[in-house]
Amino acid sequence: MTDATDPVNPSRASSPTATLEPVLSAKNLVAGYLPGVNILNGCDLDCYPGELIGIIGPNGAGKSTLLKALFGLVSIREGSVTLQGEDITNLKANKLVQAGVGFVPQTNNVFPSLSIEENLQMGLYLRPRKFAERLEVIYDLFPVLGQRKGQRAGSLSGGERQSVAMARALMMDPKVLLLDEPSAGLSPVRQDETFIRTRRINKAGVSIVMVEQNARRCLQICDRGYVLDQGKNAYSGTGKELADDPKVIELYLGTLAKDVDSAR
Protein backbone atom coordinates (compact mmCIF):
# COMPACT_ATOMS: atom_id res chain seq x y z
CA MET A 1 0.00 0.00 0.00
CA THR A 2 1.35 3.43 -0.90
CA ASP A 3 0.53 6.98 0.01
CA ALA A 4 0.35 9.76 -2.56
CA THR A 5 4.09 10.38 -2.49
CA ASP A 6 5.17 6.81 -3.23
CA PRO A 7 5.48 5.08 -6.64
CA VAL A 8 2.55 2.80 -7.33
CA ASN A 9 3.14 -0.79 -8.32
CA PRO A 10 0.37 -1.35 -10.87
CA SER A 11 0.78 -5.09 -11.18
CA ARG A 12 -1.85 -7.67 -10.51
CA ALA A 13 -0.76 -10.63 -8.44
CA SER A 14 -1.20 -12.99 -11.37
CA SER A 15 0.79 -11.10 -14.04
CA PRO A 16 3.58 -8.55 -14.17
CA THR A 17 2.58 -5.21 -15.71
CA ALA A 18 5.90 -3.41 -15.54
CA THR A 19 6.23 -3.59 -19.33
CA LEU A 20 2.53 -3.21 -20.16
CA GLU A 21 0.89 -0.02 -21.33
CA PRO A 22 -2.17 1.08 -19.36
CA VAL A 23 -5.51 0.77 -21.08
CA LEU A 24 -6.50 4.04 -19.43
CA SER A 25 -4.17 6.52 -17.77
CA ALA A 26 -4.86 9.88 -16.13
CA LYS A 27 -2.03 12.13 -14.99
CA ASN A 28 -2.20 15.19 -12.72
CA LEU A 29 -5.84 15.94 -13.47
CA VAL A 30 -7.22 19.32 -12.45
CA ALA A 31 -10.91 19.75 -13.24
CA GLY A 32 -14.13 21.32 -11.98
CA TYR A 33 -17.61 22.49 -12.85
CA LEU A 34 -17.34 26.24 -12.17
CA PRO A 35 -14.63 28.67 -13.33
CA GLY A 36 -11.88 28.95 -10.75
CA VAL A 37 -13.29 26.16 -8.56
CA ASN A 38 -11.42 22.87 -8.89
CA ILE A 39 -12.82 19.56 -7.65
CA LEU A 40 -9.87 17.49 -8.87
CA ASN A 41 -6.52 18.81 -7.73
CA GLY A 42 -3.85 16.71 -9.42
CA CYS A 43 -5.10 13.13 -9.14
CA ASP A 44 -3.64 10.19 -11.08
CA LEU A 45 -5.02 6.83 -12.18
CA ASP A 46 -3.76 3.87 -14.20
CA CYS A 47 -5.88 0.91 -15.33
CA TYR A 48 -3.99 -1.97 -16.92
CA PRO A 49 -5.43 -4.64 -19.23
CA GLY A 50 -7.91 -6.86 -17.42
CA GLU A 51 -7.83 -4.91 -14.17
CA LEU A 52 -10.74 -3.97 -11.95
CA ILE A 53 -9.87 -0.65 -10.31
CA GLY A 54 -11.83 0.63 -7.31
CA ILE A 55 -12.02 4.30 -6.35
CA ILE A 56 -13.19 5.12 -2.84
CA GLY A 57 -13.16 8.17 -0.60
CA PRO A 58 -15.41 10.40 1.51
CA ASN A 59 -18.36 12.29 0.09
CA GLY A 60 -17.15 15.29 -1.90
CA ALA A 61 -13.72 13.79 -2.57
CA GLY A 62 -14.14 14.05 -6.34
CA LYS A 63 -14.76 10.40 -7.18
CA SER A 64 -17.67 10.87 -9.57
CA THR A 65 -16.07 14.04 -10.95
CA LEU A 66 -13.03 11.96 -11.87
CA LEU A 67 -15.15 9.52 -13.90
CA LYS A 68 -17.00 12.38 -15.59
CA ALA A 69 -13.69 14.05 -16.46
CA LEU A 70 -12.42 10.79 -17.95
CA PHE A 71 -15.60 10.57 -20.03
CA GLY A 72 -15.52 14.16 -21.28
CA LEU A 73 -18.43 15.42 -19.16
CA VAL A 74 -16.31 17.74 -16.99
CA SER A 75 -13.66 20.00 -18.50
CA ILE A 76 -10.07 19.05 -17.66
CA ARG A 77 -8.05 22.22 -17.01
CA GLU A 78 -4.66 20.60 -16.44
CA GLY A 79 -3.26 17.13 -16.91
CA SER A 80 -3.96 14.45 -19.49
CA VAL A 81 -5.94 11.27 -20.18
CA THR A 82 -4.73 8.57 -22.56
CA LEU A 83 -6.42 5.45 -23.91
CA GLN A 84 -3.86 2.83 -24.95
CA GLY A 85 -1.32 5.63 -25.34
CA GLU A 86 -3.57 7.93 -27.41
CA ASP A 87 -4.46 11.32 -25.96
CA ILE A 88 -8.22 11.54 -25.30
CA THR A 89 -8.17 14.55 -22.96
CA ASN A 90 -11.47 16.49 -23.18
CA LEU A 91 -12.81 14.47 -26.10
CA LYS A 92 -16.60 14.55 -26.34
CA ALA A 93 -18.51 11.57 -24.97
CA ASN A 94 -19.62 10.27 -28.38
CA LYS A 95 -16.01 10.25 -29.59
CA LEU A 96 -14.93 8.41 -26.45
CA VAL A 97 -17.58 5.74 -26.98
CA GLN A 98 -16.28 5.24 -30.51
CA ALA A 99 -12.71 5.05 -29.16
CA GLY A 100 -13.64 2.34 -26.67
CA VAL A 101 -14.69 3.97 -23.39
CA GLY A 102 -17.99 2.89 -21.82
CA PHE A 103 -19.69 4.84 -19.02
CA VAL A 104 -22.56 3.90 -16.70
CA PRO A 105 -23.81 6.90 -14.68
CA GLN A 106 -25.26 6.48 -11.21
CA THR A 107 -28.78 7.72 -12.09
CA ASN A 108 -30.94 8.21 -15.18
CA ASN A 109 -29.03 5.41 -16.88
CA VAL A 110 -31.81 3.72 -18.89
CA PHE A 111 -34.49 4.80 -21.35
CA PRO A 112 -37.58 3.97 -19.24
CA SER A 113 -40.10 4.02 -22.08
CA LEU A 114 -38.09 1.57 -24.20
CA SER A 115 -37.90 -2.19 -23.82
CA ILE A 116 -34.77 -3.91 -22.54
CA GLU A 117 -33.76 -4.91 -26.05
CA GLU A 118 -34.45 -1.43 -27.42
CA ASN A 119 -32.19 -0.01 -24.70
CA LEU A 120 -29.46 -2.38 -25.82
CA GLN A 121 -30.01 -1.33 -29.41
CA MET A 122 -29.45 2.28 -28.37
CA GLY A 123 -26.09 1.20 -26.97
CA LEU A 124 -24.94 0.14 -30.44
CA TYR A 125 -26.41 2.92 -32.55
CA LEU A 126 -22.90 3.73 -33.86
CA ARG A 127 -22.43 0.16 -35.17
CA PRO A 128 -25.88 -1.24 -35.99
CA ARG A 129 -24.51 -4.08 -38.13
CA LYS A 130 -22.89 -5.60 -35.04
CA PHE A 131 -26.17 -5.73 -33.11
CA ALA A 132 -26.98 -9.43 -33.44
CA GLU A 133 -23.42 -10.46 -32.67
CA ARG A 134 -23.10 -8.26 -29.58
CA LEU A 135 -26.61 -9.12 -28.37
CA GLU A 136 -25.65 -12.79 -28.15
CA VAL A 137 -22.60 -11.91 -26.02
CA ILE A 138 -24.64 -9.64 -23.74
CA TYR A 139 -27.41 -12.17 -23.18
CA ASP A 140 -24.75 -14.70 -22.24
CA LEU A 141 -23.49 -12.29 -19.56
CA PHE A 142 -27.01 -11.22 -18.53
CA PRO A 143 -29.32 -14.19 -19.24
CA VAL A 144 -32.24 -12.65 -17.35
CA LEU A 145 -32.26 -9.71 -19.76
CA GLY A 146 -32.63 -12.10 -22.66
CA GLN A 147 -35.57 -13.80 -20.97
CA ARG A 148 -37.30 -10.43 -20.39
CA LYS A 149 -36.09 -8.55 -23.47
CA GLY A 150 -39.53 -7.16 -24.30
CA GLN A 151 -40.20 -5.68 -20.85
CA ARG A 152 -40.20 -1.91 -20.51
CA ALA A 153 -37.09 -0.70 -18.66
CA GLY A 154 -39.10 1.75 -16.54
CA SER A 155 -40.93 -1.15 -14.90
CA LEU A 156 -37.73 -2.80 -13.65
CA SER A 157 -36.30 -2.69 -10.14
CA GLY A 158 -33.22 -0.60 -9.36
CA GLY A 159 -30.90 -3.58 -9.60
CA GLU A 160 -32.45 -4.70 -12.89
CA ARG A 161 -32.12 -1.21 -14.36
CA GLN A 162 -28.47 -1.22 -13.34
CA SER A 163 -28.04 -4.48 -15.29
CA VAL A 164 -29.62 -2.91 -18.37
CA ALA A 165 -27.36 0.15 -18.06
CA MET A 166 -24.23 -2.01 -17.78
CA ALA A 167 -25.35 -4.20 -20.66
CA ARG A 168 -26.04 -1.21 -22.90
CA ALA A 169 -22.56 0.23 -22.19
CA LEU A 170 -21.04 -3.16 -23.07
CA MET A 171 -22.78 -3.35 -26.44
CA MET A 172 -19.95 -1.34 -28.04
CA ASP A 173 -17.38 -3.84 -26.70
CA PRO A 174 -15.45 -1.13 -24.81
CA LYS A 175 -11.76 -1.32 -23.93
CA VAL A 176 -12.57 0.07 -20.48
CA LEU A 177 -15.85 0.46 -18.59
CA LEU A 178 -16.42 3.32 -16.13
CA LEU A 179 -18.98 2.58 -13.39
CA ASP A 180 -20.27 5.37 -11.13
CA GLU A 181 -21.48 3.90 -7.82
CA PRO A 182 -23.31 0.91 -9.31
CA SER A 183 -24.63 -0.26 -5.91
CA ALA A 184 -26.05 3.12 -4.84
CA GLY A 185 -29.63 2.93 -3.56
CA LEU A 186 -29.83 -0.86 -3.79
CA SER A 187 -30.72 -3.29 -1.03
CA PRO A 188 -27.85 -5.33 0.47
CA VAL A 189 -28.89 -8.37 -1.57
CA ARG A 190 -29.03 -6.39 -4.80
CA GLN A 191 -25.69 -4.76 -3.94
CA ASP A 192 -24.07 -8.17 -3.68
CA GLU A 193 -25.57 -9.19 -7.02
CA THR A 194 -24.20 -6.01 -8.60
CA PHE A 195 -20.68 -6.64 -7.28
CA ILE A 196 -20.76 -10.27 -8.43
CA ARG A 197 -21.96 -9.15 -11.87
CA THR A 198 -19.23 -6.50 -12.06
CA ARG A 199 -16.55 -9.06 -11.28
CA ARG A 200 -18.01 -11.44 -13.85
CA ILE A 201 -17.84 -8.73 -16.54
CA ASN A 202 -14.24 -8.07 -15.56
CA LYS A 203 -13.33 -11.76 -15.73
CA ALA A 204 -14.81 -11.83 -19.24
CA GLY A 205 -11.95 -9.51 -20.23
CA VAL A 206 -13.32 -6.00 -19.70
CA SER A 207 -11.09 -3.54 -17.82
CA ILE A 208 -13.18 -1.63 -15.27
CA VAL A 209 -12.78 1.56 -13.26
CA MET A 210 -15.46 1.68 -10.55
CA VAL A 211 -16.33 4.47 -8.13
CA GLU A 212 -18.07 3.00 -5.11
CA GLN A 213 -19.36 4.26 -1.76
CA ASN A 214 -19.51 0.74 -0.31
CA ALA A 215 -15.76 0.84 0.23
CA ARG A 216 -15.24 -2.47 2.02
CA ARG A 217 -17.10 -4.47 -0.61
CA CYS A 218 -15.36 -2.59 -3.39
CA LEU A 219 -11.92 -3.37 -1.97
CA GLN A 220 -12.88 -7.04 -1.66
CA ILE A 221 -13.37 -7.44 -5.40
CA CYS A 222 -10.97 -4.94 -6.98
CA ASP A 223 -7.42 -5.71 -8.09
CA ARG A 224 -6.16 -2.29 -7.08
CA GLY A 225 -7.72 0.73 -5.45
CA TYR A 226 -7.27 4.45 -5.08
CA VAL A 227 -8.44 6.51 -2.09
CA LEU A 228 -9.36 10.04 -3.15
CA ASP A 229 -9.55 12.90 -0.68
CA GLN A 230 -10.09 16.55 -1.63
CA GLY A 231 -9.50 15.73 -5.27
CA LYS A 232 -6.10 14.10 -4.74
CA ASN A 233 -4.75 10.58 -4.36
CA ALA A 234 -4.43 9.90 -0.65
CA TYR A 235 -3.56 6.18 -0.78
CA SER A 236 -3.26 3.46 -3.42
CA GLY A 237 -2.52 -0.25 -3.46
CA THR A 238 -4.15 -3.62 -3.94
CA GLY A 239 -7.66 -4.00 -2.61
CA LYS A 240 -6.41 -6.21 0.22
CA GLU A 241 -3.62 -3.81 1.15
CA LEU A 242 -6.03 -0.91 1.43
CA ALA A 243 -8.66 -2.92 3.30
CA ASP A 244 -6.07 -4.06 5.86
CA ASP A 245 -4.21 -0.76 6.28
CA PRO A 246 -4.81 0.76 9.75
CA LYS A 247 -4.66 4.34 8.47
CA VAL A 248 -7.18 3.70 5.69
CA ILE A 249 -9.46 1.89 8.14
CA GLU A 250 -9.24 4.69 10.69
CA LEU A 251 -9.53 7.63 8.31
CA TYR A 252 -11.88 6.30 5.63
CA LEU A 253 -13.50 2.89 6.00
CA GLY A 254 -15.32 3.63 9.25
CA THR A 255 -16.59 6.98 7.96
CA LEU A 256 -17.60 5.53 4.61
CA ALA A 257 -19.53 2.73 6.28
CA LYS A 258 -21.49 5.35 8.22
CA ASP A 259 -22.17 7.26 4.98
CA VAL A 260 -23.54 4.11 3.35
CA ASP A 261 -25.76 3.28 6.35
CA SER A 262 -27.18 6.81 6.49
CA ALA A 263 -27.99 6.72 2.78
CA ARG A 264 -30.18 3.63 3.12
Side-chain angles (χ1 to χ4, degrees), residues 94-218:
N94 64 310
K95 298 294 185 182
L96 290 169
V97 171
Q98 286 182 305
V101 182
F103 176 58
V104 180
Q106 179 181 342
T107 58
N108 299 320
N109 51 20
V110 300
F111 297 98
S113 63
L114 300 183
S115 69
I116 289 174
E117 190 157 306
E118 288 169 339
N119 266 270
L120 300 182
Q121 190 171 5
M122 291 297 293
L124 204 64
Y125 74 95
L126 293 172
R127 298 175 188 168
R129 294 181 180 178
K130 295 274 188 178
F131 180 67
E133 175 188 335
R134 289 302 298 164
L135 195 64
E136 183 177 351
V137 174
I138 294 305
Y139 283 160
D140 184 54
L141 277 172
F142 301 86
V144 174
L145 298 187
Q147 296 164 11
R148 302 167 63 182
K149 60 186 178 182
Q151 186 170 343
R152 191 168 57 87
S155 68
L156 302 174
S157 68
E160 292 166 340
R161 287 196 300 271
Q162 191 63 248
S163 294
V164 173
M166 288 184 182
R168 190 180 69 243
L170 290 169
M171 287 294 288
M172 282 288 286
D173 195 15
K175 298 169 184 174
V176 61
L177 180 65
L178 311 177
L179 301 178
D180 190 3
E181 300 201 18
S183 75
L186 303 181
S187 69
V189 171
R190 296 302 183 194
Q191 285 187 17
D192 283 341
E193 291 176 355
T194 297
F195 288 125
I196 291 169
R197 187 180 306 114
T198 299
R199 195 55 171 156
R200 186 182 179 202
I201 292 168
N202 174 244
K203 286 185 176 296
V206 181
S207 301
I208 295 176
V209 177
M210 175 175 65
V211 163
E212 184 51 55
Q213 192 176 30
N214 190 335
R216 292 185 185 277
R217 193 71 178 92
C218 175

Side-chain angles (χ1 to χ4, degrees), residues 48-122:
Y48 286 81
E51 278 194 312
L52 171 51
I53 299 297
I55 303 173
I56 65 171
N59 288 336
K63 305 183 299 296
S64 292
T65 301
L66 173 57
L67 284 199
K68 291 174 182 176
L70 296 174
F71 197 62
L73 301 177
V74 175
S75 179
I76 296 171
R77 294 163 183 163
E78 295 179 27
S80 64
V81 182
T82 58
L83 181 70
Q84 293 185 328
E86 295 292 326
D87 186 14
I88 59 168
T89 310
N90 285 325
L91 278 186
K92 297 298 184 183
N94 64 310
K95 298 294 185 182
L96 290 169
V97 171
Q98 286 182 305
V101 182
F103 176 58
V104 180
Q106 179 181 342
T107 58
N108 299 320
N109 51 20
V110 300
F111 297 98
S113 63
L114 300 183
S115 69
I116 289 174
E117 190 157 306
E118 288 169 339
N119 266 270
L120 300 182
Q121 190 171 5
M122 291 297 293

